[in-house]
Amino acid sequence: MTTHREGRTRPIPFIDLATQRQRLGDRLDRAILQVLEHGRYILGPEVAELERQLAAFCGARHAIGCANGTDALALGLLARGIGPGDAVLVPAFTFVATAEVVAWTGATPVFLDVLPDTFNLDPAALDAGLDTARQQGLRPRAVIAVDLFGQPADYDRIEPFCAAHGLWLMADAAQSFGATYKGRRAGSIGLIAATSFFPAKPLGCYGDGGAVFTDDDELALIMRSLRVHGQGRDKYDNVRIGMNGRIDTLQAAILLEKLRVFEDEVLARQTVAERYARGFADLGERCRTPVVPEGMTSVWAQYTLVLEPGVRDRLGAELKDQGIPTAVYYPIPLHQQTAYRRYPVQAGGLPASEELAGRVLSLPMHPYLGATDQDGIIAAVRAGLAA
Ligand SMILES: *Cc1c(COP(=O)(O)O)cnc(C)c1O
């Protein structure tokens, strides 16, 4: 056990799954054992129950469990027949999966800029994205809006734009399950919404997992078929090209137990976020805290600061020396990553995405972050910035 300068006897975890595990206790063990006993490892009863509870939680008509969040996004694109010659507008400041799935289908991701204060897709960039797509001879078909760091995108502006231009909307809610946008919950926004249960997401399992949501009965049927190789009514007559995209029964059983404490954890995350906001409130442009506009809530998948230029890497290293882990989400915007440089970007470029990539720093964020540890983090960041 290491003792850090401030006398902490254990390092602060970036995300504390061990404390959550303790809280879940025997119930979780029993849920896992029950799967081992009934032995229906693939699409067992826990999967159907999880789908029912996920749909009820967010107010979507259908929830379909998936192998991971990336497959969830891919199912949405496949179900809508996205393919070569199509353009899908996506933000450049996000996790790679958002654009990766578009490239899988043979369609072209067109990169748009984000807003510097919310980190989410800039609705004003949509027009430029359409122009870029058309100039490249592509058919604009869809927008994937990302709820980055747990906060919903600006759907009141994105949805009407999509409706006006014949585009359909998919919400990449991989980081935002549990968040709300003007009374609507993430998962219920967009023609299709996709989420991830990767262990570090706000609702995470103990491996890979995800889900896709829709209110459309027909699309739900198609996505259920695509999830099992495009299966038709006859199991061995596959009627479309699909994938193996199922969630394991074991992961579903684990998620059902985690869902029982999830609402409470979401509230705890909010308390932690508010404490950070107070702790840095006076620092202004030297250390910008996330802006959550009126009427929405974040589920705080990450707590991400925007620091004054040039200090991020030094501060991260100093915090690490003091046993405080940090992370950079994301150091390279997608349009600058090796495999994605060949895809088009909106006219005018992506200055906000590029600027954020150089200045963001994410701090430890989880529902079990105690006030003492958190005050230590705040003090260390403040001291580092003053240095
Ligand atoms: C995590 C994540 C994904 C992919 O989810 P996986 O379960 O890891 O496949 C997609 N988009 C965003 C924004 C994510 O954060």
Side-chain angles (χ1 to χ4, degrees):
M1 205 176 275
T2 50
T3 304
H4 297 284
R5 235 189 282 156
E6 317 62 37
R8 271 195 306 280
T9 52
R10 60 179 185 92
I12 294 175
F14 191 68
I15 289 173
D16 188 356
L17 294 176
T19 301
Q20 184 198 50
R21 163 75 188 106
Q22 271 172 11
R23 174 181 184 182
L24 295 170
D26 291 348
R27 284 193 61 103
L28 183 66
D29 300 15
R30 284 201 297 275
I32 291 170
L33 272 177
Q34 200 170 338
V35 176
L36 300 185
E37 272 154 29
H38 70 56
R40 294 167 64 189
Y41 302 122
I42 302 295
L43 298 184
E46 287 82 357
V47 173
E49 178 58 20
L50 176 69
E51 290 176 341
R52 197 189 63 71
Q53 288 194 24
L54 290 174
F57 183 93
C58 68
R61 228 169 120 75
H62 303 280
I64 299 162
C66 302
N68 53 66
T70 308
D71 279 1
L73 289 165
L75 283 172
L77 296 181
L78 291 176
R80 293 286 300 176
I82 294 294
D86 294 337
V88 178
L89 310 186
V90 301
F93 190 66
T94 176
F95 182 62
V96 65
T98 311
E100 180 184 32
V101 291
V102 177
W104 275 1
T105 66
T108 302
V110 175
F111 291 118
L112 307 187
D113 213 358
V114 296
L115 293 164
D117 55 348
T118 65
F119 311 110
N120 280 329
L121 182 67
D122 179 359
L126 287 164
D127 252 324
L130 269 191
D131 289 346
T132 301
R134 292 198 182 109
Q135 277 155 19
Q136 305 253 335
L138 301 163
R139 278 184 309 273
R141 294 276 313 273
V143 173
I144 305 180
V146 181
D147 302 338
L148 204 69
F149 305 146
Q151 172 176 326
D154 189 354
Y155 290 107
D156 274 358
R157 291 179 63 195
I158 297 169
E159 285 179 323
F161 183 92
C162 288
H165 294 88
L167 306 169
W168 65 274
L169 173 67
M170 179 150 69
D172 180 343
Q175 300 184 9
S176 64
F177 192 74
T180 59
Y181 182 87
K182 304 189 181 175
R184 301 151 79 193
R185 272 190 152 150
S188 69
I189 303 171
L191 177 64
I192 296 171
T195 198
S196 165
F197 304 125
F198 181 81
K201 308 283 178 176
L203 178 63
C205 56
Y206 289 157
D208 279 307
V212 65
F213 302 88
T214 187
D215 285 344
D216 185 304
D217 296 347
E218 171 84 15
L219 274 176
L221 272 177
I222 295 172
M223 290 192 289
R224 282 188 185 282
S225 158
L226 286 167
R227 181 179 66 169
V228 193
H229 305 290
Q231 176 176 289
R233 216 167 279 158
D234 177 332
K235 187 171 166 187
Y236 290 103
D237 180 22
N238 294 296
V239 297
R240 49 180 71 82
I241 308 292
M243 60 163 84
N244 176 356
R246 299 171 295 233
I247 189 169
D248 293 353
T249 308
L250 271 172
Q251 299 303 342
I254 290 158
L255 285 165
L256 282 169
E257 290 309 310
K258 290 207 184 189
L259 259 178
R260 300 169 59 87
V261 300
F262 185 57
E263 300 252 25
D264 183 57
E265 289 185 341
V266 171
L267 292 175
R269 286 173 176 279
Q270 180 61 25
T271 303
V272 171
E274 283 165 15
R275 197 177 190 91
Y276 273 141
R278 281 196 305 275
F280 302 123
D282 57 318
L283 297 182
E285 272 303 293
R286 297 176 52 211
C287 175
R288 250 164 45 209
T289 55
V291 173
V292 180
E294 189 69 29
M296 55 179 101
T297 60
S298 174
V299 70
W300 303 106
Q302 303 297 342
Y303 194 87
T304 302
L305 301 173
V306 182
L307 304 173
E308 64 186 317
V311 307
R312 194 257 313 276
D313 296 343
R314 173 184 61 78
L315 181 64
E318 283 175 15
L319 293 170
K320 187 173 175 212
D321 282 345
Q322 298 170 49
I324 298 171
T326 60
V328 176
Y329 299 119
Y330 294 95
I332 314 177
L334 295 186
H335 67 292
Q336 295 181 333
Q337 294 190 17
T338 305
Y340 293 86
R341 276 182 212 138
R342 62 199 181 92
Y343 292 113
V345 306
Q346 73 172 93
L350 309 175
S353 298
E354 289 169 15
E355 165 112 15
L356 286 170
R359 293 176 56 186
V360 286
L361 187 70
S362 301
L363 299 180
M365 164 53 78
H366 59 81
Y368 305 100
L369 184 55
T372 312
D373 276 355
Q374 198 182 353
D375 287 343
I377 297 167
I378 292 167
V381 170
R382 295 187 63 99
L385 287 173

